[in-house]
Amino acid sequence: MSVTARLAELGVEVPEVVPPVASYQPAVRAGDFVYTAGQLPFKDGVCLATGKVGAEVSVEVATDCARQAALNALAAIQNLIGDLDQVKRIVKVVVFVASTPDFTAQPGVANGASEFLGQVFGEAGKHVRSAVGVSVLPLDAPVEVELVVQV
Amino acid sequence: MSVTARLAELGVEVPEVVPPVASYQPAVRAGDFVYTAGQLPFKDGVCLATGKVGAEVSVEVATDCARQAALNALAAIQNLIGDLDQVKRIVKVVVFVASTPDFTAQPGVANGASEFLGQVFGEAGKHVRSAVGVSVLPLDAPVEVELVVQV
Amino acid sequence: MSVTARLAELGVEVPEVVPPVASYQPAVRAGDFVYTAGQLPFKDGVCLATGKVGAEVSVEVATDCARQAALNALAAIQNLIGDLDQVKRIVKVVVFVASTPDFTAQPGVANGASEFLGQVFGEAGKHVRSAVGVSVLPLDAPVEVELVVQV
C-alpha cells in the first residue's frame, strides 16, 4: 500500500510546512538522504502544549506532541521531494523531550513519533531512535523531533 | 589486526543485542552508513547505574557506562551486518550524559566510549564526537551513546 | 563569489583548529559527507564565556558563542578537506544551548551560527537545524555546535 493510501486510511492529512522559527530550512536533501530540522508540535499555527513533561505536561499530551512533530517533519519532507512515496526508509529519529530531572519515560513519549511512522511507512518506517530528556526546548515546547530519511 | 582479533585481545565479548525499550530498531543500514539507536549501559539485562553524574553517579561509573553503551552499539551493528570487520570507519559518536548543572566533565565520561572504540578499531575508530550534558535520560540511565559508522 | 572571497569580505579569518578536548577528531569525512565534532566557542585558546544562558550568560554573548563555534567547525572542515570552496552544501547544524529551564529563546542563539553560515556560503549555506536547551555543556560552555556538510 502506498504511503498516501496509508495516510488516507489513518485519516491523516499532511499539513502545510511549519515555517521555521529562525534562519534555517525545514528540510534539506543531500545525496540519497533528506534531513529535517528539529520540528516542534505546531498544529494550525499553535504549539499543542508548552512546559516540561513531569510537571505541566502529561505523558499523554507529550506523546501526542511527538506524533504531531513527526507529522510536521513529514510535511517538510513532502514539500521538498514532492511525494512521500519516494521515501525508501525512515532511517533515524531523534526525540528531545523537555523533562523534569525525575521524569524518565522518554521512550514512551517518543513512541508517539515512532509508532506513527510505523503506521504510515510499514517496514520502511522501521528506524533507529534516540530519546533524550533535555532541560528546555525552543518556545517551551515539550517535544522536538528530527528525522533522517533515505529517498 | 582484525577487529575480531582486537576484541579477543581486549578480552571483550560482543554481547547479545539489547532489545529496544520501545518501538524502534537497534541499528539501520542506509547506503554505506549504519546508524545505531541511542544505546543505554545495559549489561546482562541490567542497567549498570541510574542517576545523574555529579550526584549519585561517579565519573568512574559513568565512564564505564559509556564504554558499555558503546559496546552495545557494536552488538547492534554486528547483529545487522554480520561482522564488525566490515566497518570501514566509526564516523560519529554522540554521548549524552545525564548531568547535574554543575558537572562539566562530560568529555572525560565520553572518553569511556571513544577510547574503547579506538582500542577496537585503531585508525578506523577515529571519530568525531559530541558530548552533551542533559537533564535526564530514559530509565534514569546516566549515559546514552549513539553511533554512525561507514561500512 | 567563492567562500574564500566571502570570508575576506566579512573580515573573517578561519582560525587554527581547536584541539579536541578529549579522544576524538575535529572532523571526519565519510563518502560525500564531512561531520564535525561538537565545537565549543573557543577563540585564541579561551572559551568566550562559561555558564548558562538565562543566568550568567546573556543572549547576545551566547549568540556570539554560536557564531564562534560555527567558525571553529569551519576550521575543522577546512583543515580536513583543504579548502572551504569544496563544500557543496551545509546540510545540518545542531546547536546545543546550556540553558536555565525557563530560557526558551534557543532559536535566536542558534541564529548566531545559522546566519553566519548563510553569509559565508550563500545558497549553499541553507541548512536544517535543531536547537536544543540542555542542562550543561563540556567545560561549562554556553553553546556547542556540530555540522554535517556535503562535499
Side-chain angles (χ1 to χ4, degrees), chain B residues 52-112:
Chain B
K52 315 300 184 277
V53 193
E56 309 89 335
V57 180
S58 70
V59 172
E60 292 69 27
V61 168
T63 306
D64 283 347
C65 285
R67 182 185 187 280
Q68 182 67 38
L71 177 58
N72 291 342
L74 295 187
I77 294 167
Q78 178 176 281
N79 188 61
L80 184 74
I81 64 171
D83 180 358
L84 288 173
D85 287 310
Q86 290 183 53
V87 173
K88 285 170 60 179
R89 184 74 186 252
I90 306 291
V91 176
K92 183 177 178 181
V93 179
V94 181
V95 182
F96 296 106
V97 181
S99 305
T100 58
D102 59 344
F103 177 73
T104 64
Q106 287 80 20
V109 170
N111 277 356

Side-chain angles (χ1 to χ4, degrees), chain A:
Chain A
M1 199 191 299
S2 73
V3 170
T4 314
R6 276 207 196 85
L7 285 166
E9 197 176 70
L10 294 166
V12 174
E13 203 170 329
V14 178
E16 293 295 303
V17 179
V18 178
V21 295
S23 307
Y24 58 88
Q25 305 288 306
V28 164
R29 180 170 180 167
D32 294 334
F33 292 94
V34 175
Y35 292 77
T36 78
Q39 302 285 326
L40 303 178
F42 276 93
K43 185 175 183 178
D44 301 328
V46 180
C47 199
L48 290 185
T50 56
K52 315 299 184 276
V53 193
E56 309 90 335
V57 180
S58 70
V59 172
E60 292 69 27
V61 167
T63 306
D64 283 347
C65 284
R67 183 185 187 279
Q68 182 67 38
L71 177 58
N72 292 341
L74 296 187
I77 294 166
Q78 178 176 281
N79 187 61
L80 184 75
I81 65 171
D83 180 359
L84 288 173
D85 287 310
Q86 289 182 53
V87 173
K88 285 170 59 177
R89 184 74 186 252
I90 306 290
V91 176
K92 183 177 178 181
V93 179
V94 181
V95 182
F96 296 108
V97 182
S99 305
T100 57
D102 59 343
F103 177 73
T104 64
Q106 287 80 19
V109 170
N111 277 356
S114 291
E115 293 178 356
F116 172 64
L117 293 167
Q119 290 166 351
V120 174
F121 291 94
E123 276 299 304
K126 292 187 171 177
H127 54 269
V128 299
R129 191 182 83 190
S130 294
V132 180
V134 295
S135 53
V136 58
L137 288 167
L139 315 181
D140 210 20
V143 175
E144 179 173 342
V145 175
E146 57 169 64
L147 301 189
V148 181
V149 308
Q150 191 182 18
V151 291

Side-chain angles (χ1 to χ4, degrees), chain C residues 69-93:
Chain C
L71 177 58
N72 292 342
L74 295 187
I77 294 167
Q78 178 175 282
N79 187 60
L80 184 74
I81 65 171
D83 179 359
L84 289 173
D85 286 311
Q86 290 183 53
V87 173
K88 284 170 59 177
R89 185 74 186 251
I90 305 291
V91 176
K92 183 177 178 182
V93 178

Side-chain angles (χ1 to χ4, degrees), chain C residues 3 20 48 83 119 124 140 151:
Chain C
V3 170
L48 290 185
D83 179 359
Q119 289 166 353
D140 209 21
V151 290

